[in-house]
Amino acid sequence: LTVGASLGIAYGDGSQAPSALALLQAADHAMYGAKAQGKNHVQFEHLHNPDDLSRPRPLPDQNGRG
């Protein structure tokens, strides 16, 4: 049995607390970016500003372009 995982991790700089929804959306976006790179990847998403997610961002396609 072999198990693999692609992880998306979101974090802020601590100066402003992003909402739980903003962190979840950023982590989801990062996870799709990790999946686009192939199996067993990790991608980090830094939220500089909680409003970073107020505008739509394209999700990466299967070639990792978003």
Side-chain angles (χ1 to χ4, degrees):
L1 175 66
T2 301
V3 177
S6 294
L7 300 175
I9 299 171
Y11 63 98
D13 61 9
S15 64
Q16 294 181 318
S19 69
L21 179 59
L23 281 172
L24 185 60
Q25 289 173 333
D28 193 53
H29 189 264
M31 182 198 62
Y32 280 103
K35 286 179 165 284
Q37 294 176 34
K39 295 182 180 183
N40 301 321
H41 280 87
V42 176
Q43 184 156 329
F44 294 90
E45 179 110 6
H46 182 211
L47 290 176
H48 300 281
N49 178 349
D51 296 328
D52 284 348
L53 294 173
S54 64
R55 60 189 176 281
R57 297 182 303 174
L59 291 174
D61 63 16
Q62 62 188 5
N63 297 316
R65 294 177 293 235

